[in-house]
Amino acid sequence: MRSHKWFTPWVLIAPAVVWVLVFALWPFLNTVFLSFTDARPLRTPGFVGGANYERMFGDEMFWNALTTCLIYVVVCVPLLTILPLLLALLVQKKLPGISFFRTTFYFPVIASVVVVALIWTWLFDSRGIINQTLEFLGLIDQPMAFLVDRWLLLGCAILLTVWKGLGYYMVVYLAALGNVGKELHEAAMLDGAGSFRRFLSVTIPSVRGAMLLISVLIAVSAMRVFAELDVLSKSTGGPGGYDMSLVMLIRQVGSGLNGNIGYASAISVALFLLTLIPLAAIAFMNREKKAKAPA
């Protein structure tokens, strides 16, 4: 067998290492550094210590954006954890034409979130299809302010996120359900367990790992939500900016020639730390699970 030089593995991984250093590690470290400065475009940054973080904790816009993201997490995590599982159980059955439905459910995943958000705008606009249909049926006298009211706008954005994510997480569950042994369901049926009981006692424990992973992915994505709210609110963040997310706030604060890059960097660091919380939670759960496992 032909031997390789000692440096061959290093040469092979060098492009990936350079990519991570240049486009991931260096921008992150630079953002942390800028968060302690008063950096602005076309101006030399000066060190200001923790002034940006003090300003952030006293900024009402920051707390409004954080509230929006937390509401997004609280609503999206249970919906996108349970609904895709039910959908996966449905399309897993071998029925005529089920392949067509699998493709249909997955189609929103392929479409760009911006394109889907624009379609949502046409649907929920004051002269959109939904308002016109409700008026035609006589259910409302005047158009509903779906994209103007704070809570209705947030609800439309969450509905968009859930609808677009169903197909993706359905595929993850289909892979997990494929590893569930049929003998477990057969044994439960022999014990007299019905469909709902088998779902609680067999299906959910079997896909618990996938459910935990999906919950963390959804929580992280919800904290970083941007396109849905940006397009639906036409980059305004809704009435008074109450539906602005943290990413939208970072763009608003740091963009333009007068943008406060230092303050935007501080918010970015705070967002990074917030996204670590669900990752730390899953790491802790896995550690507890290994500790309880028999040797």
XYZ file of all heavy atoms in Angstrom, residues 111-183:
576
model
N -39.200 26.613 -1.674
C -39.433 28.007 -2.047
C -38.670 28.950 -1.128
O -38.485 28.680 0.057
C -40.927 28.312 -1.993
N -38.232 30.071 -1.673
C -37.534 31.086 -0.892
C -38.483 31.706 0.127
O -39.655 31.937 -0.151
C -36.980 32.168 -1.813
O -36.524 33.278 -1.082
N -37.958 31.977 1.321
C -38.787 32.560 2.369
C -39.278 33.947 1.975
O -40.383 34.355 2.347
C -38.008 32.615 3.704
C -36.790 33.521 3.586
C -38.907 33.067 4.840
N -38.490 34.670 1.186
C -38.907 35.999 0.734
C -40.082 35.882 -0.226
O -41.059 36.647 -0.139
C -37.737 36.745 0.070
C -38.196 38.086 -0.486
C -36.598 36.942 1.065
N -40.005 34.916 -1.132
C -41.100 34.715 -2.090
C -42.372 34.317 -1.354
O -43.462 34.833 -1.633
C -40.707 33.637 -3.122
C -41.894 33.309 -4.021
C -39.526 34.110 -3.961
N -42.235 33.391 -0.393
C -43.405 32.958 0.377
C -43.979 34.124 1.176
O -45.204 34.289 1.272
C -43.021 31.795 1.312
C -44.211 31.407 2.186
C -42.550 30.600 0.505
N -43.110 34.959 1.739
C -43.578 36.112 2.515
C -44.319 37.109 1.626
O -45.308 37.719 2.044
C -42.395 36.791 3.205
N -43.860 37.272 0.385
C -44.568 38.160 -0.544
C -45.957 37.611 -0.873
O -46.936 38.367 -0.950
C -43.753 38.324 -1.830
C -42.486 39.189 -1.714
C -41.702 39.147 -3.017
C -42.847 40.628 -1.365
N -46.043 36.294 -1.057
C -47.352 35.674 -1.291
C -48.248 35.881 -0.080
O -49.444 36.178 -0.212
C -47.177 34.170 -1.595
C -46.384 33.985 -2.891
C -48.529 33.475 -1.690
C -46.038 32.545 -3.200
N -47.671 35.747 1.113
C -48.428 35.971 2.352
C -48.934 37.418 2.414
O -50.034 37.671 2.896
C -47.522 35.663 3.541
C -48.118 34.716 4.534
C -48.530 35.011 5.790
C -48.361 33.314 4.369
N -49.003 33.881 6.421
C -48.914 32.829 5.578
C -48.166 32.418 3.316
C -49.275 31.501 5.753
C -48.521 31.112 3.487
C -49.066 30.655 4.681
N -48.112 38.353 1.945
C -48.522 39.756 1.938
C -49.735 39.961 1.048
O -50.681 40.685 1.409
C -47.363 40.644 1.450
O -46.224 40.443 2.298
C -47.746 42.113 1.485
N -49.723 39.335 -0.114
C -50.877 39.444 -1.014
C -52.124 38.812 -0.395
O -53.241 39.280 -0.614
C -50.560 38.768 -2.349
C -49.402 39.399 -3.072
C -48.968 40.676 -2.954
C -48.545 38.760 -4.017
N -47.869 40.895 -3.762
C -47.587 39.739 -4.434
C -48.464 37.486 -4.556
C -46.590 39.471 -5.356
C -47.467 37.207 -5.489
C -46.546 38.186 -5.878
N -51.951 37.748 0.378
C -53.086 37.074 0.998
C -53.715 37.912 2.111
O -54.941 38.026 2.212
C -52.651 35.715 1.560
C -52.325 34.600 0.562
C -51.769 33.398 1.291
C -53.561 34.215 -0.236
N -52.875 38.514 2.950
C -53.362 39.179 4.155
C -53.443 40.694 4.029
O -53.762 41.377 5.013
C -52.462 38.825 5.351
C -52.598 37.407 5.807
C -51.686 36.442 5.398
C -53.641 37.018 6.630
C -51.807 35.131 5.817
C -53.770 35.711 7.055
C -52.853 34.753 6.639
N -53.185 41.234 2.859
C -53.295 42.673 2.655
C -54.753 43.117 2.861
O -55.690 42.309 2.796
C -52.806 43.039 1.262
C -52.687 44.536 1.070
O -51.807 45.150 1.693
O -53.491 45.088 0.312
N -54.936 44.404 3.094
C -56.293 44.912 3.317
C -57.192 44.642 2.115
O -58.415 44.521 2.255
C -56.251 46.417 3.618
O -55.653 47.129 2.541
N -56.607 44.556 0.923
C -57.358 44.200 -0.287
C -56.970 42.825 -0.798
O -57.156 42.516 -1.979
C -57.117 45.252 -1.374
C -57.629 46.646 -1.005
C -57.447 47.609 -2.157
N -57.965 48.942 -1.817
C -57.940 49.979 -2.650
N -57.416 49.847 -3.854
N -58.435 51.143 -2.267
N -56.413 42.011 0.079
C -55.976 40.681 -0.305
C -57.111 39.687 -0.401
O -58.283 39.995 -0.145
N -56.745 38.467 -0.747
C -57.740 37.419 -0.986
C -58.542 37.101 0.270
O -59.765 36.925 0.226
C -57.039 36.151 -1.512
C -56.365 36.435 -2.858
C -58.035 35.000 -1.639
C -55.561 35.272 -3.390
N -57.867 37.036 1.415
C -58.559 36.646 2.646
C -59.592 37.688 3.051
O -60.740 37.362 3.372
C -57.535 36.415 3.771
C -56.674 35.203 3.436
C -58.241 36.229 5.119
C -55.624 34.881 4.458
N -59.206 38.963 3.035
C -60.151 40.016 3.399
C -61.315 40.089 2.421
O -62.474 40.264 2.828
C -59.436 41.369 3.458
C -58.886 41.667 4.848
O -59.563 41.466 5.848
N -57.651 42.129 4.901
N -61.038 39.964 1.134
C -62.106 40.012 0.136
C -63.050 38.827 0.287
O -64.269 38.974 0.126
C -61.503 40.047 -1.263
C -60.813 41.363 -1.606
C -60.353 41.411 -3.051
O -60.473 40.431 -3.786
N -59.824 42.556 -3.476
N -62.501 37.657 0.613
C -63.345 36.480 0.812
C -64.242 36.648 2.039
O -65.436 36.326 2.002
C -62.469 35.222 0.972
O -61.638 35.068 -0.181
C -63.341 33.987 1.143
N -63.670 37.166 3.118
C -64.462 37.372 4.332
C -65.560 38.412 4.111
O -66.683 38.267 4.611
C -63.551 37.806 5.480
C -62.545 36.759 5.977
C -61.635 37.353 7.044
C -63.269 35.533 6.526
N -65.243 39.456 3.333
C -66.253 40.464 3.033
C -67.338 39.890 2.135
O -68.532 40.180 2.307
C -65.596 41.671 2.362
C -64.752 42.524 3.301
C -64.157 43.724 2.601
O -64.378 43.865 1.375
O -63.477 44.525 3.256
N -66.956 39.061 1.175
C -67.931 38.448 0.263
C -68.884 37.531 1.016
O -70.076 37.470 0.705
C -67.190 37.671 -0.826
C -68.105 36.943 -1.771
C -68.768 37.632 -2.782
C -68.306 35.574 -1.650
C -69.615 36.960 -3.651
C -69.150 34.900 -2.516
C -69.801 35.603 -3.526
N -68.364 36.837 2.030
C -69.201 35.938 2.820
C -70.009 36.678 3.876
O -70.825 36.065 4.572
C -68.329 34.865 3.488
C -67.600 33.897 2.544
C -66.688 32.973 3.333
C -68.590 33.086 1.724
N -69.757 37.975 4.015
C -70.487 38.771 4.985
C -70.033 38.591 6.413
O -70.753 38.944 7.354
N -68.831 38.063 6.607
C -68.323 37.828 7.953
C -67.723 39.088 8.569
O -67.634 39.189 9.799
C -67.280 36.705 7.934
C -67.793 35.338 7.449
C -66.655 34.330 7.414
C -68.915 34.835 8.358
N -67.281 40.024 7.734
C -66.726 41.284 8.238
C -67.294 42.433 7.409
O -67.693 42.254 6.253
C -65.182 41.301 8.162
C -64.700 41.057 6.724
C -64.574 40.272 9.121
C -63.200 41.163 6.564
N -67.350 43.610 8.017
C -67.841 44.806 7.329
C -66.714 45.624 6.712
O -66.924 46.338 5.734
C -68.642 45.692 8.298
C -69.884 44.983 8.816
O -70.449 44.176 8.049
O -70.263 45.230 9.983
N -65.514 45.541 7.292
C -64.364 46.261 6.779
C -63.136 45.376 6.882
O -63.098 44.450 7.692
C -64.155 47.561 7.554
C -63.978 47.369 9.050
C -63.865 48.687 9.782
O -63.955 49.755 9.195
N -63.659 48.609 11.101
N -62.144 45.629 6.052
C -60.959 44.766 6.044
C -60.284 44.689 7.411
O -60.214 45.676 8.141
C -60.036 45.434 5.009
C -60.946 46.250 4.157
C -62.055 46.712 5.047
N -59.795 43.508 7.757
C -59.054 43.314 8.997
C -57.608 43.743 8.795
O -57.012 43.484 7.743
C -59.119 41.850 9.437
C -60.513 41.373 9.800
S -60.520 39.690 10.449
C -59.587 39.905 11.973
N -57.040 44.390 9.801
C -55.678 44.936 9.696
C -54.654 43.857 10.040
O -53.936 43.949 11.045
C -55.525 46.141 10.610
N -54.582 42.827 9.187
C -53.656 41.727 9.457
C -52.212 42.206 9.512
O -51.439 41.755 10.354
C -53.787 40.644 8.375
C -55.041 39.836 8.470
C -56.032 39.967 7.505
C -55.241 38.950 9.504
C -57.194 39.221 7.582
C -56.397 38.195 9.591
C -57.375 38.335 8.623
N -51.831 43.100 8.616
C -50.439 43.519 8.496
C -50.178 44.873 9.144
O -49.107 45.452 8.954
C -50.033 43.563 7.017
C -50.234 42.257 6.244
C -49.763 42.415 4.808
C -49.490 41.102 6.928
N -51.141 45.375 9.893
C -50.977 46.664 10.576
C -51.060 46.491 12.085
O -50.304 47.109 12.836
C -52.030 47.678 10.085
C -51.882 48.994 10.826
C -51.894 47.896 8.580
N -51.962 45.657 12.552
C -52.089 45.401 13.973
C -50.880 44.614 14.476
O -50.391 43.692 13.809
C -53.366 44.613 14.252
C -53.563 44.329 15.732
O -54.018 45.224 16.445
O -53.221 43.203 16.150
N -50.395 44.960 15.648
C -49.175 44.342 16.184
C -49.303 42.831 16.313
O -48.450 42.082 15.816
C -48.834 44.948 17.552
C -47.645 44.274 18.238
C -47.447 44.765 19.661
N -46.292 44.122 20.269
C -45.903 44.303 21.531
N -46.597 45.120 22.321
N -44.846 43.672 22.012
N -50.368 42.364 16.964
C -50.491 40.936 17.252
C -50.914 40.144 16.018
O -50.488 38.993 15.837
C -51.470 40.733 18.403
C -51.026 41.422 19.655
C -51.625 42.485 20.265
C -49.863 41.132 20.429
N -50.920 42.874 21.373
C -49.833 42.059 21.507
C -48.848 40.181 20.327
C -48.825 42.052 22.458
C -47.839 40.178 21.287
C -47.835 41.100 22.337
N -51.763 40.744 15.173
C -52.153 40.049 13.943
C -50.966 39.890 13.011
O -50.804 38.846 12.355
C -53.277 40.816 13.244
C -54.648 40.793 13.929
C -55.650 41.628 13.154
C -55.149 39.357 14.080
N -50.117 40.908 12.922
C -48.921 40.822 12.085
C -47.984 39.737 12.607
O -47.455 38.928 11.828
C -48.198 42.168 12.059
C -46.837 42.204 11.343
C -46.986 41.794 9.892
C -46.216 43.592 11.456
N -47.785 39.697 13.915
C -46.931 38.669 14.498
C -47.518 37.282 14.270
O -46.791 36.321 13.973
C -46.754 38.935 15.993
C -45.798 38.011 16.752
C -44.393 38.069 16.143
C -45.753 38.391 18.230
N -48.845 37.181 14.389
C -49.491 35.894 14.144
C -49.340 35.433 12.706
O -49.115 34.246 12.442
N -49.447 36.369 11.744
C -49.262 36.022 10.334
C -47.834 35.544 10.072
O -47.618 34.584 9.320
C -49.573 37.227 9.453
S -51.316 37.692 9.391
N -46.867 36.202 10.699
C -45.469 35.806 10.521
C -45.216 34.419 11.106
O -44.525 33.591 10.501
C -44.546 36.837 11.163
N -45.774 34.149 12.279
C -45.611 32.833 12.898
C -46.284 31.758 12.053
O -45.733 30.659 11.858
C -46.188 32.844 14.326
C -45.334 33.728 15.237
C -46.287 31.425 14.885
C -45.887 33.908 16.632
N -47.467 32.064 11.526
C -48.168 31.114 10.659
C -47.344 30.801 9.422
O -47.278 29.645 8.977
C -49.534 31.690 10.264
C -50.455 30.782 9.445
C -50.799 29.526 10.223
C -51.724 31.523 9.052
N -46.704 31.817 8.865
C -45.839 31.614 7.703
C -44.675 30.690 8.055
O -44.348 29.757 7.302
C -45.319 32.969 7.207
C -44.549 33.038 5.880
C -44.595 34.455 5.340
C -43.098 32.619 6.031
N -44.029 30.948 9.187
C -42.884 30.136 9.605
C -43.291 28.688 9.822
O -42.583 27.764 9.407
C -42.277 30.708 10.896
O -41.849 32.057 10.666
C -41.083 29.885 11.348
N -44.426 28.477 10.466
C -44.900 27.116 10.728
C -45.227 26.406 9.420
O -44.832 25.249 9.214
C -46.126 27.147 11.662
C -46.750 25.761 11.778
C -45.729 27.667 13.040
N -45.939 27.090 8.526
C -46.323 26.481 7.253
C -45.097 26.105 6.425
O -45.053 25.041 5.812
C -47.209 27.457 6.474
C -47.649 26.948 5.142
C -48.593 25.996 4.880
C -47.153 27.361 3.859
N -48.723 25.800 3.520
C -47.852 26.623 2.876
C -46.194 28.294 3.456
C -47.610 26.785 1.523
C -45.960 28.455 2.100
C -46.667 27.703 1.150
N -44.083 26.962 6.436
C -42.892 26.705 5.631
C -42.010 25.628 6.248
O -41.288 24.925 5.532
C -42.084 27.989 5.451
C -41.027 27.885 4.361
C -40.324 29.189 4.134
C -39.391 29.081 2.932
N -38.453 27.949 3.006
N -42.054 25.476 7.568
C -41.176 24.506 8.214
C -41.758 23.123 8.380
O -41.030 22.185 8.724
N -43.056 22.963 8.136
C -43.692 21.662 8.338
C -43.029 20.558 7.525
O -42.717 19.485 8.051
C -45.177 21.748 7.986
C -46.115 22.329 9.039
C -47.527 22.447 8.482
C -46.114 21.480 10.296
N -42.811 20.808 6.243
C -42.251 19.776 5.369
C -40.842 19.368 5.751
O -40.478 18.186 5.699
N -40.027 20.337 6.145
C -38.632 20.035 6.497
C -38.557 19.120 7.716
O -37.876 18.083 7.698
C -37.882 21.339 6.757
C -36.449 21.139 7.180
C -35.463 20.886 6.240
C -36.099 21.184 8.531
C -34.146 20.689 6.637
C -34.786 20.991 8.925
C -33.811 20.748 7.977
O -32.511 20.554 8.367
N -39.261 19.496 8.768
C -39.202 18.677 9.987
C -39.979 17.383 9.827
O -39.714 16.410 10.537
C -39.721 19.496 11.171
C -38.872 20.715 11.447
C -39.370 22.003 11.269
C -37.546 20.581 11.849
C -38.572 23.121 11.495
C -36.744 21.684 12.073
C -37.272 22.949 11.895
O -36.486 24.058 12.117
N -40.935 17.341 8.897
C -41.623 16.090 8.590
C -40.631 15.053 8.078
O -40.692 13.872 8.465
C -42.713 16.347 7.544
C -43.433 15.094 7.085
S -44.409 15.367 5.572
C -43.084 15.539 4.337
N -39.709 15.471 7.212
C -38.702 14.552 6.675
C -37.794 14.033 7.785
O -37.424 12.852 7.805
C -37.876 15.257 5.573
C -36.721 14.378 5.119
C -38.764 15.607 4.391
N -37.443 14.902 8.733
C -36.618 14.468 9.866
C -37.349 13.395 10.672
O -36.765 12.372 11.064
C -36.258 15.675 10.761
C -35.463 15.211 11.979
C -35.469 16.716 9.980
N -38.624 13.606 10.909
C -39.409 12.617 11.655
C -39.576 11.320 10.869
O -39.600 10.235 11.463
C -40.772 13.194 12.011
C -40.772 14.040 13.259
C -41.278 15.339 13.246
C -40.283 13.538 14.461
C -41.293 16.113 14.396
C -40.285 14.312 15.612
C -40.789 15.603 15.569
O -40.795 16.362 16.710
N -39.722 11.422 9.564
C -39.847 10.207 8.745
C -38.604 9.337 8.889
O -38.702 8.097 8.965
C -40.069 10.576 7.276
C -41.475 11.036 6.896
C -41.515 11.509 5.442
C -42.483 9.908 7.094
N -37.433 9.971 8.934
C -36.193 9.216 9.132
C -36.165 8.566 10.518
O -35.729 7.418 10.669
C -34.995 10.136 8.955
N -36.641 9.292 11.523
C -36.665 8.741 12.885
C -37.691 7.620 13.018
O -37.429 6.592 13.664
C -36.964 9.846 13.888
N -38.850 7.801 12.393
C -39.891 6.770 12.473
C -39.479 5.492 11.751
O -39.961 4.400 12.085
C -41.193 7.307 11.871
C -41.917 8.379 12.686
C -43.066 8.972 11.883
C -42.425 7.814 14.003
N -38.607 5.637 10.757
C -38.135 4.452 10.046
C -37.322 3.516 10.929
O -37.145 2.339 10.588
N -36.804 4.026 12.044
C -36.008 3.201 12.960
C -36.843 2.612 14.099
O -36.283 1.938 14.966
C -34.872 4.048 13.550
C -33.895 4.510 12.485
O -33.600 3.779 11.537
N -33.388 5.725 12.634
N -38.137 2.900 14.107
C -39.011 2.356 15.149
C -39.441 0.951 14.752
O -40.050 0.763 13.689
C -40.248 3.261 15.360
C -41.141 2.670 16.449
C -39.820 4.673 15.721
N -39.134 -0.026 15.572
C -39.455 -1.413 15.246
C -40.954 -1.682 15.268
O -41.662 -1.233 16.182
N -41.430 -2.397 14.261
C -42.849 -2.725 14.203
C -43.262 -3.660 15.349
O -44.419 -3.686 15.748
C -43.179 -3.384 12.859
C -43.017 -2.454 11.661
C -43.416 -3.156 10.371
C -43.300 -2.204 9.175
N -43.667 -2.871 7.908
N -42.284 -4.415 15.864
C -42.617 -5.346 16.941
C -43.074 -4.621 18.200
O -43.853 -5.179 18.999
C -41.416 -6.237 17.262
C -40.182 -5.503 17.770
C -39.302 -4.978 16.650
O -39.712 -5.113 15.468
O -38.228 -4.446 16.946
